[in-house]
Amino acid sequence: MQTQDKVQVNPIAEAIASSQKYLLSLQNPTGYWWAELESNVTITSEVVLLHKIWGTDKTRPLHKVEAYLRSQQRQHGGWELFYGDGGELSTSVEAYMALKLLGVPATDPAMIRAREFILRRGGISKTRIFTKFHLALIGCYNWRGLPSLPAWVMLLPKEFPVNIYEMSSWARSSTVPLLIVFDQKPVYQVNPAITLDELYAEGVENVRYELPRSGDWTDIFLTLDEGFKLAESINFIPWREQGIKAAEQWIIERQEATGDWGGIIPAMLNSMLALRSLGYNPNDPIVERGLQALDNFAVETAEEYRVQPCVSPVWDTAWVMRAFIDSGMSPDHPAIVKAGEWLLQKQILDYGDWNIKNTQGKPGAWAFEFDNRFYPDVDDTAVVVMALHAAKLPNEQLKQKAGDRALQWVASMQCKPGGWAAFDLDNDQDWLNAIPYGDLKAMIDPNTADVTARVIEMLGACNLTIDSPNLERALTYLLNEQEAEGCWYGRWGVNYIYGTSGVLSALALINPQKYQPQIERGANWLVSCQNADGGWGETCFSYNDPSLKGKGDSTASQTAWAIIGLIAAGEATGKFARDAIERGVNYLVSTQQTDGSWFEAYFTGTGFPCHFYLKYHYYQQYFPLIALGRYQALTIQNSKFAH
């Protein structure tokens, strides 16, 4: 009798191999990984406006923007801040403006639906400051309704309670150029010339160009603003010319060789607007580099043209490396070696804006983007250090020295409360969010639980040390940040699932016995918010409404975060949420596509909570691979889980 051997297929191993193959196929020949960073349509709409203002619109495929904007309009007529949010007013006004600038008539059915949506939401008068600012540039809103930004702010010394270095890096790099634009208050003639009178719900003749009052202490800023406007009206603005000159010099000094400013589109757009206000020529090398940098952030297909708010090659590359190694790939695999050597070349050995408040630290960090000398960040640096530590490179001594420099820099960036922020040290004057100009509530960069957790995870994963009192301060900070339900807030990812996963991963590596109660509470919270399909999901609205913590349709990335957190908690305490982990793993395996990838429509990255969100197109790829890899390692090595 013949017997036929049955080959047992391990679905986990199959899913891992398929995911690895998919990601390997996407590596750039020079070593990095980089996927699209998606946001809402305002970025692209503002780029259209900028090219119209500079007269460079005919040299870019902006006609393809119309197809992109039409594809993003939803059934209700508006455009979204993030997927599934029901539409957002300011986003919709800017999309409508861009379509008009592209020659779409107000009688187009899409424009009619958009106009109805916008008017239902209150029209232009109810939009954010930055939307009104862009409209004012082409005469579709009056500068009187915008806050004043006196140029002499640029001259305030760093010892003064208010100065540009008390703003977050992104607010600073966007605000300094606006000191020039808000001083000049330009109104540009564009082709075609447009009006947006039809978007004023109260009628354009009834608009009150004034800043809204809050009825509390913050209204003092409106009184100050009235004083600034009076000074402007009588042309009594002390140190005006000196302030403008200082701002201009600051902008030019901070332009990268690639043309970028701050590595983010708002800083790049505003810097280009400042140069336009100062009369720079389109053929000026500074302007040409700036325009090229904007082009580099664009994504063009056969039908569409859109612009990313930022690019994430360092971040993506480090996470893909970690995913490969966590999922069983050899640490000296050629793809990992090439990526590791690329990352070593990207270490920033220049002093940046962080040095203004951190006078003791020495360079040695990484940034998010290809080029961003002035704004490296703690989160990227910690992830890169972990990726390089896990990899085996030909020059281990060089890797070690890079890691040592990075550790010293990160240690010097610890904030007074004990945690770490993203870009700056003790950048925490919350009252700045109350000024009229700061209506996105993103004027500061305080320490947060998720970034702090990443640093502590780096220390544990790489066997690194910082001064014991400083480590204790960091751990105390993290424990104090735990919410009543057991979760942690996620500043840079959506939201409590992200934050909780990160903190559990950190505490599991640093004295887990001491923090067992906090770890168990965090793990129990994650289990409590698992969806019926086995996955996890959390809506961006949890930033607006804390009752939505951990609630939302399942996504691959958020499911992976939950699994990563639960595995870490189990390894720390010996108490594995076996059923929850297995159901989550089954969700990932069952939702993987035939090419080895995952897809999620939802945005799970955070720019500014409540105001700006991101979809990292690789989040749905490398985090599931990490989760499956750690699960496979656990089931092979850990009998406590298997039994």
Side-chain angles (χ1 to χ4, degrees):
M1 186 173 73
Q2 287 185 319
T3 60
Q4 189 173 6
D5 291 335
K6 289 186 177 179
V7 179
Q8 280 196 323
V9 177
N10 180 339
I12 308 299
E14 202 173 57
I16 287 172
S18 184
S19 173
Q20 288 177 342
K21 182 180 178 182
Y22 175 76
L23 282 169
L24 280 172
S25 73
L26 297 172
Q27 186 175 24
N28 184 279
T30 57
Y32 63 82
W33 281 269
W34 168 36
E36 183 176 353
L37 190 59
E38 183 181 346
S39 64
N40 63 71
V41 299
T42 58
I43 299 294
T44 302
S45 299
E46 290 164 12
V47 168
V48 169
L49 175 65
L50 183 88
H51 282 302
K52 288 286 184 179
I53 288 171
W54 272 101
T56 50
D57 52 307
K58 301 301 182 188
T59 57
R60 270 79 184 170
L62 297 187
H63 60 282
K64 293 184 180 181
V65 172
E66 181 183 339
Y68 163 66
L69 292 176
R70 287 184 183 276
S71 74
Q72 295 299 306
Q73 187 178 24
R74 299 299 176 236
Q75 202 61 41
H76 47 60
W79 284 263
E80 297 171 327
L81 196 61
F82 57 87
Y83 177 78
D85 75 351
E88 198 270 337
L89 175 60
S90 294
T91 307
S92 300
V93 168
E94 293 195 32
Y96 185 100
M97 169 201 72
L99 286 171
K100 262 201 151 182
L101 287 171
L102 292 168
V104 179
T107 54
D108 185 286
M111 301 291 271
I112 293 171
R113 287 193 293 119
R115 184 164 65 250
E116 290 171 350
F117 174 89
I118 290 166
L119 294 176
R120 284 198 304 272
R121 297 294 179 98
I124 287 173
S125 294
K126 297 294 184 183
T127 59
R128 61 178 185 157
I129 290 294
F130 285 104
T131 296
K132 292 172 179 171
F133 158 66
H134 284 99
L135 300 186
L137 290 169
I138 51 174
C140 292
Y141 189 77
N142 195 297
W143 280 98
R144 292 201 313 273
L146 293 167
S148 291
L149 289 179
W152 50 256
V153 168
M154 193 68 207
L155 305 175
L156 296 174
K158 59 180 182 291
E159 296 80 15
F160 201 73
V162 186
N163 68 80
I164 61 169
Y165 296 102
E166 293 300 336
M167 299 177 189
S168 61
S169 62
W170 56 87
R172 182 187 322 131
S173 59
S174 299
T175 299
V176 169
L178 289 186
L179 294 175
I180 296 171
V181 185
F182 274 61
D183 176 88
Q184 302 289 298
K185 297 180 175 52
V187 177
Y188 297 105
Q189 301 298 315
V190 293
N191 183 22
I194 67 167
T195 66
L196 296 175
D197 294 356
E198 68 272 23
L199 299 187
Y200 287 95
E202 68 273 45
V204 68
E205 67 282 355
N206 299 317
V207 177
R208 299 176 66 180
Y209 296 105
E210 59 186 17
L211 300 170
R213 292 191 171 269
S214 303
D216 56 27
W217 70 270
T218 62
D219 285 347
I220 191 172
F221 294 115
L222 300 185
T223 303
L224 287 172
D225 188 73
E226 290 168 1
F228 294 149
K229 283 184 167 59
L230 175 62
E232 289 173 356
S233 69
I234 60 174
N235 199 25
F236 180 70
I237 308 172
W239 305 293
R240 176 185 181 185
E241 294 303 321
Q242 297 95 316
I244 291 173
K245 194 69 181 172
E248 179 185 4
Q249 181 178 341
W250 194 93
I251 292 166
I252 293 171
E253 287 174 352
R254 278 161 180 74
Q255 187 182 31
E256 300 286 346
T258 51
D260 307 45
W261 281 278
I264 54 174
I265 283 289
M268 293 157 67
L269 288 174
N270 293 351
S271 296
M272 291 296 294
L273 289 170
L275 297 177
R276 181 75 173 85
S277 298
L278 292 171
Y280 276 67
N281 189 284
N283 298 320
D284 189 293
I286 296 170
V287 174
E288 288 185 337
R289 284 200 303 269
L291 291 170
Q292 182 59 53
L294 291 172
D295 294 341
N296 293 342
F297 278 38
V299 176
E300 184 180 1
T301 68
E303 296 81 27
E304 295 184 357
Y305 186 85
R306 57 190 181 272
V307 182
Q308 302 171 91
C310 191
V311 293
S312 54
V314 170
W315 183 248
D316 284 338
T317 301
W319 276 113
V320 173
M321 287 176 64
R322 295 189 72 192
F324 279 161
I325 295 169
D326 282 355
S327 60
M329 191 178 284
S330 173
D332 62 355
H333 186 285
I336 292 173
V337 169
K338 188 173 279 191
E341 291 180 331
W342 182 84
L343 283 176
L344 286 175
Q345 295 171 9
K346 288 297 174 183
Q347 189 172 30
I348 298 170
L349 304 178
D350 299 306
Y351 285 93
D353 275 10
W354 55 268
N355 185 231
I356 299 296
K357 297 187 78 171
N358 175 7
T359 57
Q360 303 302 312
K362 295 182 178 180
W366 278 268
F368 190 67
E369 307 86 352
F370 287 106
D371 297 281
N372 193 355
R373 288 176 301 134
F374 289 95
Y375 300 108
D377 70 277
V378 172
D379 212 0
D380 270 278
T381 301
V383 174
V384 170
V385 169
M386 286 189 277
L388 291 175
H389 175 80
K392 186 176 180 182
L393 304 183
N395 193 335
E396 285 288 303
Q397 188 176 12
L398 180 66
K399 184 184 88 172
Q400 183 65 45
K401 288 181 179 177
D404 291 343
R405 283 194 298 266
L407 173 64
Q408 296 305 315
W409 182 79
V410 169
S412 74
M413 293 292 288
Q414 188 173 16
C415 298
K416 289 175 184 174
W420 278 266
F423 294 91
D424 275 307
L425 178 69
D426 298 325
N427 190 277
D428 53 10
Q429 295 201 43
D430 191 50
W431 65 269
L432 286 169
N433 282 323
I435 64 176
Y437 166 75
D439 64 351
L440 298 185
K441 307 301 179 190
M443 295 296 289
I444 59 172
D445 179 18
N447 51 194
T448 61
D450 49 347
V451 178
T452 303
R454 195 89 69 205
V455 172
I456 294 173
E457 183 189 3
M458 175 193 74
L459 298 176
C462 304
N463 301 312
L464 300 173
T465 57
I466 60 173
D467 291 343
S468 183
N470 291 336
L471 178 58
E472 288 303 314
R473 285 173 54 226
L475 290 164
T476 299
Y477 167 79
L478 269 189
L479 299 186
N480 290 338
E481 288 294 301
Q482 190 170 25
E483 307 268 335
E485 301 91 338
C487 54
W488 280 268
Y489 176 83
R491 163 62 181 85
W492 294 99
V494 182
N495 172 354
Y496 293 91
I497 294 175
Y498 181 84
T500 304
S501 175
V503 176
L504 292 178
S505 297
L507 295 180
L509 295 172
I510 303 285
N511 202 348
Q513 293 79 19
K514 181 177 179 180
Y515 304 113
Q516 183 166 340
Q518 291 87 356
I519 292 172
E520 288 184 2
R521 285 177 58 216
N524 290 338
W525 179 80
L526 282 175
V527 172
S528 75
C529 57
Q530 187 172 24
N531 289 331
D533 61 9
W536 279 264
E538 183 172 355
T539 171
C540 299
F541 282 126
S542 65
Y543 287 104
N544 308 77
D545 181 359
S547 72
L548 297 174
K549 292 175 182 177
K551 296 179 180 178
D553 294 340
S554 297
T555 67
S557 59
Q558 291 167 320
T559 298
W561 295 336
I563 294 169
I564 290 165
L566 288 174
I567 289 175
E571 290 178 323
T573 64
K575 299 177 181 179
F576 288 96
R578 177 174 175 174
D579 179 62
I581 293 172
E582 289 185 338
R583 289 174 59 222
V585 166
N586 289 336
Y587 172 85
L588 290 180
V589 172
S590 66
T591 55
Q592 188 180 31
Q593 302 184 124
T594 55
D595 64 353
S597 68
W598 284 268
F599 174 77
E600 59 193 26
Y602 291 97
F603 286 37
T604 62
T606 309
F608 308 142
C610 303
H611 298 285
F612 189 76
Y613 297 97
L614 301 163
K615 180 185 173 181
Y616 293 77
H617 281 220
Y618 270 166
Y619 271 20
Q620 60 208 15
Q621 313 307 341
Y622 46 64
F623 286 119
L625 181 56
I626 290 172
L628 293 178
R630 292 186 185 180
Y631 174 77
Q632 178 173 255
L634 184 67
T635 55
I636 292 171
Q637 300 169 12
N638 199 325
S639 60
K640 287 183 292 187
F641 185 86
H643 299 94

